Amino acid sequence: MDIQKLTIGQMAELNRVTRQTLRHYDMEELLKPYDTDPETGYRYYHVNQSARLDMIQYLKFCGMSLDQIKEQLQCADTNEIQHFLTQQLGFIDQSILKLNQSRRAILRAIENYDRYKLLPQNPEVFHERLPARKIYTHTSQINFFNQEESGYEMMLRELKQSLLDRNLPVGYFCNVGTIIRKEYLARRELCSNEVFVFLEDDFTGIEQPEVLPGGQYVCICSDDFYQEADLALRLLDYINEQGYTIIGDYICEVIADLPFFDKSPRNMVYKIQIPTL
Amino acid sequence: MDIQKLTIGQMAELNRVTRQTLRHYDMEELLKPYDTDPETGYRYYHVNQSARLDMIQYLKFCGMSLDQIKEQLQCADTNEIQHFLTQQLGFIDQSILKLNQSRRAILRAIENYDRYKLLPQNPEVFHERLPARKIYTHTSQINFFNQEESGYEMMLRELKQSLLDRNLPVGYFCNVGTIIRKEYLARRELCSNEVFVFLEDDFTGIEQPEVLPGGQYVCICSDDFYQEADLALRLLDYINEQGYTIIGDYICEVIADLPFFDKSPRNMVYKIQIPTL
DNA sequence: CCTTGACCTTCCTGTAACAATAAGGTTTAT
DNA sequence: ATAAACCTTATTGTTACAGGAAGGTCAAGG
């Protein structure tokens, strides 16, 4: 192989790129062949041009676009290059952060389905010890229990917008829930204008998030959206009968949200939880 | 706002997506408006359709393509969905791994430039204590010192291909170096047919990488490719004069590779290092 | 000298997930 | 009635190439 005059195919093979890529870089003025036959248009490369190709690939690997790379290879100031690299580092760190969020979002989805499968088939009261959980709450004008499903949907839209406004990852818009505050509960008043999402334990995007206390809860599950009020009252009756004391807010957590199966709006499984002593 | 019949703009605003996005999802059969006026073509959405949009965004956030999402939303088997999510987790983990490699590649580039700036202007001998360093070595038919620059370029091409063949990240193709083994050195024979890249300390992709021993080195730097042989001999003379003993292989490390400034092939700064006692 | 096969050229289309714009029709409020 | 705000379809652009068509070029062998 003549090192001095490589055809595009040889140059491509030597550097493990495709011919198309080299043509593309030629067009984009990123890497011009050192010679082009004016008659045939054949491109001829020199092996030394690999250095520039290396640098292009390296910068590409660092996450730069071809335009950015072109700019960098033109600018001769090392300070500027260092500044650019530092900036690029920031971008990458952000990407990693995002991917980690995606990762956790997927893990949560998988957990969701696991929990969904383990649920008791019929709605019956059970006891559970739950850990403390951080939440982000949105307060709406709408009272959940006075509304049709569309009202709930609207509350969720508000919550979502609220999350987006605070730059909280949409991934969190997965496990949501509603709250009935203790005061209302004491009066058997089903009144809830607050929806929330669970935050990860290590999430620090919010200064002082509300925390649902850990401890003993009485719970009940269902997949019937319209049954919640009934179940809530049943749970309150149960608590009375057993002589327990309610020591915190009522929450209704969406365990699994499955808009897969049919065209009905929300197709979900939820778990009502009341902390008791 | 009539919740029952949202125009595309209202639906878009409610969910913080653009109208284009909704039209796109309509075309792609991902999310059809529940009603379309046959005369005007106006799309009308119901707020409850947000649930599906949520799911789409969630899966998108998990890194799925629209096609994959469509498929998932059609398939009703939770097992399959879980399997898919697990698979997706694998992809994400890979992406994170790659990005971390990019991250380190950038860090090394930044270090490179820092070192480049701190280099002594004239080639003079200095002493340095260097840590142990892992390397990946490629042995070529070419003897570096018998060749023009093009020969060196060819050695690098071989190294690069060798790296790619072993699925080692191209990011590693950054700090390279050449070796003269101790035996040759003892005979003042400048003979090197080995090039290498440095591996990160925590890199585990290679079973038993060669390790350059940590310890005291005598060094000299230059930016003149053709001066290496001279400097090498000068360094050997120095070692003799001072009565030091050579206790390992000679290495010539490329400190900074700057194909930015002009069209000359390699424009680099290197540091010759000989371990001594 | 001719042929064959490998190589090269330019030009065009396609990818993913929309964004942007143009040209034109609809709705709503004043 | 008219303007503002909204909607429609259709086309082009984005990134970094991949793939293919139609046709020219090169080196080796008969």
Side-chain angles (χ1 to χ4, degrees):
Chain A
M1 186 186 292
D2 181 6
I3 278 177
Q4 302 305 316
K5 213 163 183 177
L6 300 170
T7 66
I8 196 170
Q10 293 169 322
M11 183 70 175
E13 195 186 1
L14 213 53
N15 283 284
R16 299 278 177 98
V17 295
T18 65
R19 293 183 289 275
Q20 268 98 327
T21 302
L22 288 179
R23 290 201 191 98
H24 188 63
Y25 289 171
D26 182 6
M27 282 200 336
E28 301 286 326
E29 311 260 294
L30 249 180
L31 178 64
K32 289 273 179 202
Y34 88 101
D35 186 32
T36 306
D37 188 316
E39 300 215 338
T40 67
Y42 275 34
R43 294 169 176 84
Y44 294 104
Y45 293 85
H46 189 281
V47 68
N48 286 354
Q49 296 193 280
S50 308
R52 193 174 167 95
L53 189 51
D54 285 345
M55 191 50 76
I56 292 171
Q57 293 187 285
Y58 180 66
L59 294 181
K60 222 158 69 78
F61 185 78
C62 288
M64 290 192 200
S65 73
L66 294 191
D67 273 356
Q68 290 174 317
I69 293 173
K70 197 163 106 188
E71 202 178 324
Q72 288 309 305
L73 290 181
Q74 276 163 2
C75 100
D77 186 340
T78 48
N79 279 323
E80 199 178 325
I81 290 171
Q82 278 187 308
H83 170 252
F84 191 85
L85 285 172
T86 309
Q87 194 183 327
Q88 200 61 32
L89 194 62
F91 290 145
I92 290 203
D93 284 344
Q94 276 194 337
S95 305
I96 291 179
L97 231 70
K98 265 197 185 173
L99 277 178
N100 273 321
Q101 286 173 352
S102 301
R103 208 189 117 81
R104 288 195 297 246
I106 290 186
L107 284 175
R108 283 213 302 222
I110 292 175
E111 272 174 39
N112 255 3
Y113 285 109
D114 284 341
R115 288 193 296 173
Y116 168 70
K117 284 182 177 171
L118 290 174
L119 278 185
Q121 299 298 348
N122 305 319
E124 49 193 38
V125 177
F126 58 98
H127 290 247
E128 211 168 7
R129 171 165 290 278
L130 295 170
R133 292 165 289 175
K134 285 196 226 171
I135 59 172
Y136 170 76
T137 312
H138 169 75
T139 306
S140 163
Q141 304 292 26
I142 302 166
N143 175 10
F144 175 74
F145 287 95
N146 290 345
Q147 298 288 143
E148 287 299 300
E149 207 168 336
S150 306
Y152 174 56
E153 229 26 271
M154 282 306 287
M155 287 174 85
L156 289 185
R157 291 318 102 196
E158 289 177 11
L159 172 61
K160 191 172 174 182
Q161 296 188 2
S162 170
L163 282 172
L164 289 171
D165 286 340
R166 283 157 198 269
N167 280 322
L168 298 177
V170 201
Y172 282 131
F173 196 63
C174 173
N175 291 137
V176 307
T178 51
I179 296 187
I180 304 177
R181 295 296 175 185
K182 208 168 52 173
E183 310 85 83
Y184 292 102
L185 216 52
R187 285 176 265 140
R188 280 179 80 89
E189 239 180 86
L190 300 184
C191 170
S192 166
N193 58 346
E194 293 175 77
V195 275
F196 64 83
V197 284
F198 288 103
L199 304 173
E200 316 236 348
D201 290 338
D202 57 353
F203 183 72
T204 55
I206 294 177
E207 25 351 301
Q208 271 192 315
E210 188 174 344
V211 177
L212 297 176
Q216 205 65 39
Y217 282 76
V218 290
C219 307
I220 195 164
C221 288
S222 168
D223 59 0
D224 181 352
F225 181 85
Y226 296 100
Q227 202 184 13
E228 183 182 343
D230 281 354
L231 291 178
L233 295 175
R234 198 199 294 184
L235 212 51
L236 288 177
D237 290 341
Y238 173 85
I239 288 169
N240 271 343
E241 280 163 25
Q242 303 286 322
Y244 295 133
T245 315
I246 297 173
I247 58 168
D249 303 326
Y250 162 115
I251 70 166
C252 177
E253 173 188 356
V254 175
I255 300 266
D257 201 351
L258 310 158
F260 295 106
F261 301 128
D262 59 36
K263 276 155 201 153
S264 95
R266 288 272 162 188
N267 188 320
M268 59 173 157
V269 181
Y270 55 89
K271 181 165 83 176
I272 299 174
Q273 302 151 51
I274 302 179
T276 53
L277 257 193
Chain B
M1 186 187 292
D2 181 7
I3 279 178
Q4 302 305 317
K5 213 164 186 178
L6 300 170
T7 66
I8 197 171
Q10 293 168 322
M11 183 70 173
E13 195 185 3
L14 214 53
N15 284 283
R16 298 278 177 99
V17 296
T18 65
R19 292 183 293 271
Q20 268 98 326
T21 301
L22 289 179
R23 290 201 192 97
H24 189 61
Y25 289 171
D26 182 6
M27 282 199 338
E28 300 287 325
E29 312 259 296
L30 248 179
L31 177 63
K32 289 272 179 201
Y34 89 99
D35 186 31
T36 306
D37 188 316
E39 300 214 339
T40 65
Y42 275 33
R43 294 168 177 84
Y44 293 104
Y45 293 84
H46 189 282
V47 68
N48 285 354
Q49 296 193 281
S50 309
R52 194 174 167 94
L53 190 51
D54 285 345
M55 192 50 76
I56 293 171
Q57 293 188 286
Y58 182 66
L59 295 180
K60 220 158 69 80
F61 185 78
C62 289
M64 290 191 200
S65 72
L66 293 192
D67 274 355
Q68 289 174 317
I69 292 173
K70 198 162 106 185
E71 201 179 325
Q72 288 309 305
L73 290 180
Q74 275 161 2
C75 102
D77 185 341
T78 48
N79 278 324
E80 198 178 325
I81 290 170
Q82 278 187 307
H83 171 252
F84 190 87
L85 285 171
T86 309
Q87 195 182 327
Q88 199 61 33
L89 195 62
F91 290 145
I92 289 204
D93 284 344
Q94 278 194 336
S95 306
I96 292 178
L97 232 71
K98 266 198 186 173
L99 277 179
N100 273 321
Q101 287 173 352
S102 300
R103 207 189 117 81
R104 288 193 297 246
I106 291 186
L107 284 175
R108 282 214 300 223
I110 293 175
E111 273 173 38
N112 254 4
Y113 285 110
D114 283 342
R115 287 193 295 175
Y116 168 71
K117 285 184 177 171
L118 290 174
L119 280 184
Q121 299 299 348
N122 305 321
E124 50 192 39
V125 178
F126 57 99
H127 291 247
E128 210 168 8
R129 170 165 289 280
L130 294 170
R133 290 165 291 174
K134 285 196 226 170
I135 59 173
Y136 171 76
T137 312
H138 169 76
T139 307
S140 164
Q141 304 291 28
I142 303 165
N143 174 9
F144 176 74
F145 287 95
N146 289 344
Q147 296 289 144
E148 287 298 299
E149 206 168 338
S150 306
Y152 173 56
E153 228 27 272
M154 283 305 287
M155 288 174 83
L156 289 185
R157 290 320 101 198
E158 289 178 10
L159 173 60
K160 189 172 173 181
Q161 296 188 2
S162 170
L163 283 172
L164 288 172
D165 285 340
R166 285 157 196 268
N167 280 323
L168 299 177
V170 200
Y172 282 125
F173 194 62
C174 173
N175 289 140
V176 306
T178 52
I179 296 188
I180 303 177
R181 296 296 176 186
K182 208 168 53 173
E183 309 85 84
Y184 293 102
L185 216 52
R187 288 176 264 140
R188 280 180 80 89
E189 239 180 86
L190 299 184
C191 171
S192 165
N193 58 346
E194 294 175 77
V195 275
F196 64 84
V197 284
F198 289 103
L199 303 172
E200 316 237 348
D201 291 339
D202 57 353
F203 183 71
T204 55
I206 294 177
E207 26 351 301
Q208 271 191 316
E210 188 175 346
V211 177
L212 298 175
Q216 206 64 38
Y217 282 76
V218 289
C219 308
I220 195 163
C221 289
S222 169
D223 58 0
D224 182 351
F225 181 86
Y226 297 100
Q227 202 183 10
E228 183 182 344
D230 281 354
L231 291 178
L233 296 176
R234 195 197 296 184
L235 212 51
L236 289 177
D237 290 341
Y238 172 85
I239 289 169
N240 272 342
E241 280 163 25
Q242 304 285 323
Y244 295 133
T245 315
I246 296 173
I247 57 168
D249 303 327
Y250 162 114
I251 70 167
C252 178
E253 173 188 355
V254 174
I255 301 266
D257 200 353
L258 309 158
F260 295 107
F261 302 129
D262 59 40
K263 275 153 201 156
S264 96
R266 289 273 162 189
N267 188 319
M268 59 173 157
V269 182
Y270 55 88
K271 181 164 84 177
I272 299 174
Q273 302 152 49
I274 302 179
T276 54
L277 257 193

